[in-house]
Structure formats: C-alpha cells, structure tokens
Amino acid sequence: MPMNRRNFIKLVGVATGVGLVGVPYISSAAEIMPNKGRRVVVVGGGSGGAIVAKYLRMADPSIEVVLIEREKNYIACPLSNLVLAGLRTLEENTITLGGLAAKHGIKLVYDDVTAVDPVAKQVMVSAGAISYDRLVLSPGVDYRFEEIEGYDMAKTPEIMPHAWKAGPQTLLLKNQLAQMKDGGTVVMTIPQAPYRCPPGPYERISMIALYLQRNKPKSKIIVWDANETIVAKAALFKKGWAKHYGYDDKDSTKGIIEYHGNSKLAKVDVAAMTVDNGVEMLKGDVINVIPPQRASAIAQQAGAVNPDKRWCPVNQITFESTLVKDIHVIGDACIAGALPKSTYAANSEAKVCALNIARAMNGKELIAPSHVNVCYSYLTDKEAVSVSGIYKEAEGKTIAIPNSGGLSPDLSELEAVYARSWMQNILAEMTT
Ligand SMILES: Cc1cc2nc3c(=O)[nH]c(=O)nc-3n(C[C@H](O)[C@H](O)[C@H](O)COP(=O)(O)OP(=O)(O)OC[C@H]3O[C@@H](n4cnc5c(N)ncnc54)[C@H](O)[C@@H]3O)c2cc1C
C-alpha cells in the first residue's frame, strides 16, 4: 500500500484515539507534543540510533531530540557468538538508555513506532502522533523469511533459531547445543550477502566448533553458505579452523567443521528437522538458520526502501533517504556503499549524520564524511582476528580508501583483548 496521507490516517486512525494514561512513556506524550522548536525524532535506540541522538544534542543543544525505542533493554550483538561457547554472558552485552538520555537531554520514549507519515511529518506510537522536522531511522534488520519454503516467521525460529538478534534467540541456540547428544550434527545456513555483520556467521562457526570440541567431541557442524566462499577474512578463518578444529580445505568432511560454499537454503522442515538446498537434504540435531535480511519493517512502511524491498538508498553525505525527504536512514537498514553492516559502521554513520543534520538545520555547509570500521572475530577462547578500513565519499559513493586498512596478520591473543576493549568502548559510548 503506497503511504499517502489518507492511507496513513486509515492505518493509525484507531491508535490516535488511545488515551495517554498507562502508556509506557518515560517522557509523557504531553511533554513531547506539541513541537514548539526544531525537533529531530530518532527511531531505534541501538548502535546507530543512540549515537545519532547523542551527537545531535552535542552538535546543537537547541535541537530537541526524541529517541523512540521499543525495548527497555538493548542487547548488543557483537561478541554474542561467544555466549554459545560459554565465554560471555548476555548480561555483559545489555544496556539501558536512561543515563544517556538524562545526560544529554534526549527525550526517551519506550514504544513501538507503528507508522510514519512523511507528508504530515509524524510518527505514530501507542498514544498518538509525534511530529518531527527531521526523522532518523536506525531500526536494524528484519528477515526475508518468505524466500525459504516451509519457514514460518512465528514458529520456525523457536525450533531452528536464527540468533541473529542477540537475546532469547541466542539463549535458545545455546540451550539446544547443551541438550544435543555427543555425536550429534549441528547445521548452520548462511544467507547471500549483504546481511548484518559479514564475518559474524564464521565467528559463530568457530564458537560452536570450540563448544563441541570441549563438550561433545564426537559431534560436528555442517555449514551451507549461500555465498561462493567465506564472505570476510576467509584466509584467516580457514587458517584458524585448520589450526584448532582439524579443518581441511580440500576435504572439509574430516574435521569438526564441514563447510560448503555455493549452497543456498531453499526449504526447511521443522517436523523432520531437515534443510534442503534443492540438490540435497540434510538432517540436523540442532539447526541454526540465518535467514536472508532486509531493512526493518518501519523503513519499508516509511517508503524509504528500494523497490526490491531490501535496503534504503541514502545520500552518502547526509544519510538522507533518496526516496523520502527529511527522513535519514543509518545503520544496517541503509545502503552505505563499501561500509559493512556493522556496529562500528552504524556508530560512524550516526556521527556523520548528526553533524550534517545539525549543520543543515543551521544553514551551514555540510562536512565531507570520513568513516572507520574494524570488525573483530573470535576463533577460540583466546585468539581473534580483525579487518579494518577507512572510508570516504567520492562522487556520491562511499568507498574504501585504498591501502587504508586490511587484515590482522594472524590469529592473535592481542586481537582478542582489543575486541573486548572495543566492545567496552562502544557500550560506554551508548550509555554516557
Ligand atoms: C551475531 C552477531 C555478531 C555481530 N558482531 C559484530 C561485531 O563484532 N562488530 C560489529 O561492529 N558489528 C557486529 N554485529 C552487527 C551489529 O549488531 C549491527 O550491525 C548493528 O547492531 C546495527 O545497528 P543498527 O542501529 O542498524 O541496528 P540495531 O543495533 O539492531 O538497533 C535497532 C533498534 O531499533 C529498534 N526498533 C526497530 N524498529 C522499531 C520500531 N518500529 N519502533 C521502535 N524501535 C524499533 C530495535 O528494537 C533495536 O533496538 C553483529 C551482529 C550479529 C547478529
């Protein structure tokens, strides 16, 4: 349904009548509305949203910033794969936004944004409409589950967890591994890129292999990757798997990890616990299906997603949608050229976006962006690897500056220390 004003009213007409009593607000709706000055509304208080809200207030404290997040506790994904091997707890990845909001004068609303009206410049929450001068969407990803035959978005993840949003799904997968018999088979399927966190699946393979080696040594993990080969840090992952888990690139059936590229999941059967790629069928005791992904639903509803219904095209300097005026999209949901879909990138995009929104609202010249990204991956309890890059805008595209980054030379204990330290900094930046 195209989102014009009439359709928006049809969609939200009932909700606008809801009273203000008892709605889960920190700031009451009366405080938030009406819009008396210049207001930016941010939807999603994750890696991108929390940072854009904070940096907008730092760039210009006269701009009112309203941050809307549906979850009271934000559970960050980086290092959540370590939970599967018992090397970290989800509590260590969990933050709340109250301190950040109080310190920077951000109006924090805990609610679900159910609609965006780009014509009236309003978003809908349970108590009514909140108007904006500019809107920033950082809502993360949802799944293109309809591309997998037999996949039911409500039921399948309860049997075959994706664990691609850290939280109960991570714990479900961890518990399934704990309950599996020694000698069992774990099956993992990886979607075609682009998806959230390019090296994430391969870190997960490593963490599951570590868990099996230590606890269920007769077991193995079989991986079907829709991509031709490992999407990120391929040589380092293969080296680490060979060193620690008996991986043989010429015959991967030998070790704990059996990896197959060019193997795209077509069908699941939760009753039979099988997956099918159109050529062969595989049975697993534990099945981790990571579905193909798209920008989260609210970006679609706002009209900011490309006709292929996947990601949001944006101006690479301002992160303003090229499809909808005054709506900016950052983080995993947007197309940011060579930048990967990572927390580090979302954090970097948020800062550029905040600064350029503040400058545009004050009639100042925009700044040319420069971004940094580093992605760490654990391969064992002690060793990790990393890939880094520096990016700039060139002729409307975000490109990696040649020779600006690269891979860590080898697996190393120091990289693992850097990874934990980076995570501590990222979470500190989101909470202070
Ligand atoms: C297993 C795994 C490991 C990873 N490891 C790393 C790593 O090591 N390093 C790294 O840099 N990245 C890593 N990532 C990627 C990283 O988690 C994402 O790239 C990052 O979280 C993207 O930030 P975002 O702001 O786009 O989305 P998110 O951080 O997911 O935030 C989106 C927020 O929006 C909220 N939201 C969505 N819709 C609405 C709505 N309608 N109303 C209100 N709120 C809404 C959600 O509740 C959520 O809190 C990993 C990801 C996974 C899955």
Side-chain angles (χ1 to χ4, degrees):
M1 176 170 78
M3 187 40 60
N4 54 35
R5 185 155 169 71
R6 205 178 39 171
N7 284 338
F8 177 81
I9 290 165
K10 229 192 284 175
L11 190 68
V12 301
V14 179
T16 48
V18 175
L20 298 180
V21 181
V23 295
Y25 275 1
I26 283 188
S27 305
S28 74
E31 276 172 341
I32 293 167
M33 294 176 288
N35 181 0
K36 289 181 185 144
R38 297 175 304 162
R39 177 188 287 162
V40 179
V41 171
V42 179
V43 177
S47 303
I51 299 299
V52 80
K54 168 175 167 172
Y55 276 78
L56 270 163
R57 293 287 300 162
M58 283 165 62
D60 184 347
S62 74
I63 298 173
E64 183 190 21
V65 176
V66 180
L67 174 59
I68 313 175
E69 166 57 50
R70 60 159 75 107
E71 304 288 348
K72 288 252 166 79
N73 295 308
Y74 173 75
I75 308 174
C77 290
L79 301 190
S80 65
N81 285 326
L82 276 64
V83 173
L84 303 174
L87 305 177
R88 194 172 171 89
T89 64
L90 273 188
E91 287 69 34
E92 290 176 271
N93 274 27
T94 305
I95 60 160
T96 53
L97 297 168
L100 179 90
K103 182 168 173 191
H104 296 280
I106 298 163
K107 292 192 172 156
L108 178 62
V109 177
Y110 284 121
D111 210 336
D112 203 353
V113 175
T114 50
V116 175
D117 181 351
V119 180
K121 296 177 83 169
Q122 290 180 334
V123 301
M124 276 313 299
V125 291
S126 59
I130 299 176
S131 60
Y132 63 80
D133 296 302
R134 291 201 185 227
L135 176 65
V136 183
L137 301 177
S138 190
V141 297
D142 280 333
Y143 306 107
R144 296 179 354 239
F145 57 89
E146 67 281 359
E147 292 176 16
I148 305 168
E149 196 184 330
Y151 197 100
D152 176 330
M153 193 55 217
K155 292 181 192 146
T156 308
E158 296 309 311
I159 314 284
M160 299 177 175
H162 54 72
W164 219 239
K165 288 183 188 177
Q169 278 278 302
T170 317
L171 296 181
L172 180 61
L173 182 56
K174 180 179 159 68
N175 289 340
Q176 288 186 351
L177 290 170
Q179 279 159 23
M180 188 183 80
K181 64 175 189 285
D182 191 9
T185 302
V186 181
V187 174
M188 182 197 288
T189 68
I190 302 172
Q192 193 90 50
Y195 54 80
R196 158 175 283 189
C197 193
Y202 311 102
E203 179 184 62
R204 176 169 294 173
I205 294 166
S206 313
M207 290 297 98
I208 291 178
L210 176 67
Y211 173 80
L212 297 179
Q213 187 179 55
R214 285 182 167 177
N215 301 285
K216 314 209 164 165
K218 293 186 209 136
S219 312
K220 70 185 304 170
I221 171 165
I222 303 178
V223 182
W224 279 0
D225 191 341
N227 301 285
E228 192 182 343
T229 185
I230 296 173
V231 171
K233 307 177 220 174
L236 286 171
F237 276 113
K238 283 184 182 175
K239 188 173 179 182
W241 293 349
K243 182 176 167 191
H244 294 288
Y245 307 118
Y247 177 76
D248 182 343
D249 204 21
K250 295 199 177 65
D251 178 5
S252 83
T253 59
K254 285 181 184 165
I256 300 176
I257 299 169
E258 182 178 328
Y259 173 84
H260 302 276
N262 270 331
S263 186
K264 187 176 172 190
L265 177 67
K267 185 178 171 184
V268 294
D269 183 335
V270 287
M273 281 298 277
T274 57
V275 292
D276 194 324
N277 62 8
V279 180
E280 77 178 293
M281 190 190 280
L282 194 59
K283 192 169 169 58
D285 297 290
V286 171
I287 302 183
N288 173 208
V289 171
I290 306 171
Q293 292 149 42
R294 62 159 68 100
S296 201
I298 196 64
Q300 174 81 37
Q301 195 284 329
V305 175
N306 262 336
D308 66 5
K309 299 189 175 168
R310 295 192 179 176
W311 308 108
C312 305
V314 293
N315 176 298
Q316 302 294 296
I317 294 175
T318 59
F319 288 87
E320 184 173 5
S321 164
T322 56
L323 302 175
V324 204
K325 197 172 171 316
D326 295 327
I327 296 184
H328 302 247
V329 188
I330 59 171
D332 290 351
C334 81
I335 302 169
L339 273 170
K341 297 189 184 302
S342 75
T343 282
Y344 207 134
N347 177 293
S348 188
E349 292 159 19
K351 289 167 182 168
V352 169
C353 179
L355 208 53
N356 275 336
I357 286 179
R359 292 182 79 83
M361 287 176 104
N362 287 301
K364 290 188 183 159
E365 206 179 322
L366 301 176
I367 54 143
S370 169
H371 301 280
V372 185
N373 181 69
V374 185
C375 277
Y376 297 96
S377 306
Y378 267 74
L379 276 91
T380 68
D381 56 339
K382 293 192 186 71
E383 291 178 321
V385 295
S386 70
V387 60
S388 59
I390 299 175
Y391 303 80
K392 68 171 184 179
E393 185 272 339
E395 295 170 4
K397 296 196 171 99
T398 299
I399 58 161
I401 298 173
N403 305 317
S404 65
L407 293 168
S408 55
D410 206 342
L411 281 75
S412 102
E413 293 193 12
L414 208 49
E415 290 290 333
V417 173
Y418 294 154
R420 284 189 189 258
S421 150
W422 169 81
M423 184 63 172
Q424 211 174 322
N425 290 337
I426 278 287
L427 295 182
E429 244 209 312
M430 293 173 74
T431 46
T432 54

